[in-house]
Amino acid sequence: MAETLRARAMRAGDGAAVVELWKRYLPNTENWDAWLPDLLEQLVQKDIVLGGVVFTDSKQPRCVAAGITCFLPQSTVDDFVARPKPYLNRRLLVRFRDGDTSVFLSPEEQARQNADAGLEMFVLEYCQETFDFEQQWAHEILNAIVPVYIASHTGFNIKRCLHETELVVGHIQEAGGNPFLFEVAPQDPFSLSDIGHGPRGVYGVSRESLTADKATGIAKSLLYCQSPKFQLVLQEQKLVHHALEGLTDVEIAEAIGVSRDRIRQIWQRIYAHLEDVDPEFFSSVASPVEGMKRGGERRRVSVAYLRSHPEELRPRVLRRN
């Protein structure tokens, strides 16, 4: 009997399971357990990396796929394209581990680029339990993660996305609309594995080389960007993200590290801003004289709208006038 799958956005707590998946795929890899799970947790909690994961729906779920991306400084991408060396993902993670936080864009830096020229996206890793597409299981895993992976990037202003991977699985990239760009030699001191899996290539697409209307598959979805209507600031976005996960205000306050009163103030600020931009936004909500349910209804209406408009929850505005 085939296992059922559950796909969702990557979140804090997934680091150890993702590393276990990578180790199953690369059995000769160095011992990452001492640092990589904690590092992934840190990167997820700080909203530096994002992506999707797939778990088996069982009493002891295991991670069977993970796609993790980051946004890089322009100079890093330009240098990689001009002087490519393999295993950029490994080199970036090690540098961040050793204290160089400049290798990835923080949410504040993402906001500036998102509102300006656009972001340079790099796939830190895509791995699934098997790439043997003679098996139906491989197709089921890939089909499960693709919608979640696309949704996690919807609304970002991405001008170019790059993925370094083994040539033997490059057809997955090409099927998603990311053509082969160039090859990089597999042997390198930063190799993820003692033996490696063979030649590696870089795949990608940019708005300069391929417009969103002409792109296909995943690339088309990544290159399309809907500008936000309301422009929430980062703290407001973080609160809403937790609300979308079903957390109460008390739990959100604990997650963000502020008081419950401060959470109420942020909600009031969000409501006021939504109504300022769109005076009819809460037209379906009862007036204050009809009781205390108005606050809960405003939250319900706000969360419902923001859930269906992910572009509103991407870093773009650092502060409002």
Side-chain angles (χ1 to χ4, degrees), residues 282-299:
F282 293 112
S283 60
S284 64
V285 177
S287 63
V289 297
E290 294 184 74
M292 297 299 292
K293 293 183 178 180
R294 186 171 186 260
E297 280 296 293
R298 290 201 297 178
R299 175 168 174 164

Side-chain angles (χ1 to χ4, degrees), residues 112 293 317:
R112 297 185 184 95
K293 293 183 178 180
V317 177

